[in-house]
Amino acid sequence: MEISTLATYHFLAFVWYFFIAYSITHIRTEERPSEVFLYGGQWKYLTVLNLVLQAAFYGVSFLADVLRLIKKLRCAKCVISSRDLLFSVLAFPVSTFVSISFWTLYTYNRELVYPKSLDGVIPLWLNHAMHTAVLPFAVLEILATPHRYPAKKKGLILLGFVTFLYISWVLWIYSVTGEWVYPLFALFSPAGLAAFFAGSFAVIVSFYNFGEFLNRMIWGQSKFCF
């Protein structure tokens, strides 16, 4: 893909994610179901954090494209390294996890992740923007441009660290409010919840590996490391 075309795509994707993140974080207080937006507001939900992550990624990607267009190659190289690390370790595996886990649980019992009370607050198109469109966007990014993956150990350590931070945030919210971020968590014993978190991390690691596999299959067999 031509750099100018890629820059246009990344800019439009950035604007799209910024708009979606803005829309969900600016729901009027009086419209919010009292049982949903408690301590931590929208920032306790992985879906919302993922929207901000995607907006940041596409913003960095657009900056890298602009630097390449104006021939600032030394600066572009540094930004591209940051872009690739952000995509490989977080943007692809998290967006894939959000989409697949949400719709799997929603199909099983929507009240565990997305209570029916939200239907009157969040329109259907916004729900799909947050939970459906993120997956094809992630796949399209792999098709659009190659990404340099870090050494596997480094990538998994970074992914594990970010996962640990989010789980710590979820547990902190529970310790303060006595309410779980997702009703699903209330079904587990402490040991069961630990197993659930461990299983979720294993799933997101599989998505990390899948992204690396797709990137390698589409763009070549060279070893991607920093």
Side-chain angles (χ1 to χ4, degrees):
M1 186 180 292
E2 293 291 333
I3 298 178
S4 57
T5 304
L6 196 61
T8 301
Y9 163 67
H10 283 149
F11 176 74
L12 292 176
F14 167 74
V15 171
W16 167 253
Y17 274 113
F18 183 86
F19 169 70
I20 298 304
Y22 179 86
S23 297
I24 194 63
T25 56
H26 284 76
I27 295 174
R28 289 182 296 177
T29 303
E30 61 270 19
E31 294 180 346
R32 301 174 183 178
S34 59
E35 74 275 16
V36 176
F37 296 111
L38 297 171
Y39 182 89
Q42 294 97 325
W43 304 110
K44 61 184 176 182
Y45 297 111
L46 185 59
T47 293
V48 178
L49 295 176
N50 180 57
L51 294 175
V52 176
L53 168 64
Q54 300 303 318
F57 164 71
Y58 283 106
V60 171
S61 297
F62 175 65
L63 175 60
D65 298 334
V66 170
L67 290 173
R68 291 170 66 193
L69 283 171
I70 64 176
K71 307 300 183 182
K72 299 290 186 178
L73 300 183
R74 181 175 298 179
C75 293
K77 184 178 180 181
C78 179
V79 175
I80 288 172
S81 295
S82 299
R83 177 204 70 183
D84 290 347
L85 188 64
L86 190 60
F87 179 77
S88 61
V89 175
L90 293 178
F92 182 85
V94 173
S95 60
T96 305
F97 179 82
V98 164
S99 182
I100 293 178
S101 63
F102 174 83
W103 287 113
T104 299
L105 292 169
Y106 185 98
T107 301
Y108 173 71
N109 182 354
R110 65 169 298 175
E111 294 299 320
L112 296 177
V113 291
Y114 194 82
K116 194 173 180 60
S117 58
L118 286 175
D119 288 346
V121 179
I122 300 175
L124 183 62
W125 72 267
L126 185 53
N127 182 20
H128 283 293
M130 295 187 297
H131 297 116
T132 307
V134 293
L135 181 55
F137 262 107
V139 175
L140 181 59
E141 177 62 24
I142 287 184
L143 296 174
T145 186
H147 294 278
R148 189 179 296 272
Y149 270 67
K152 182 62 67 69
K153 182 179 179 180
K154 176 182 178 181
L156 294 182
I157 287 175
L158 290 174
L159 179 58
F161 178 70
V162 173
T163 301
F164 172 77
L165 289 179
Y166 181 68
I167 292 174
S168 297
W169 173 228
V170 167
L171 295 176
W172 171 259
I173 291 173
Y174 178 75
S175 71
V176 172
T177 67
E179 299 287 340
W180 287 109
V181 171
Y182 298 103
L184 170 68
F185 297 159
L187 301 178
F188 296 106
S189 65
L193 189 61
F196 177 82
F197 285 147
S200 297
F201 180 65
V203 170
I204 203 170
V205 166
S206 71
F207 292 147
Y208 172 94
N209 290 329
F210 181 62
E212 185 177 29
F213 169 76
L214 285 180
N215 190 72
R216 185 172 63 248
M217 290 298 294
I218 294 169
W219 297 104
Q221 298 292 331
S222 58
K223 184 177 181 181
F224 287 28
C225 60
F226 288 108

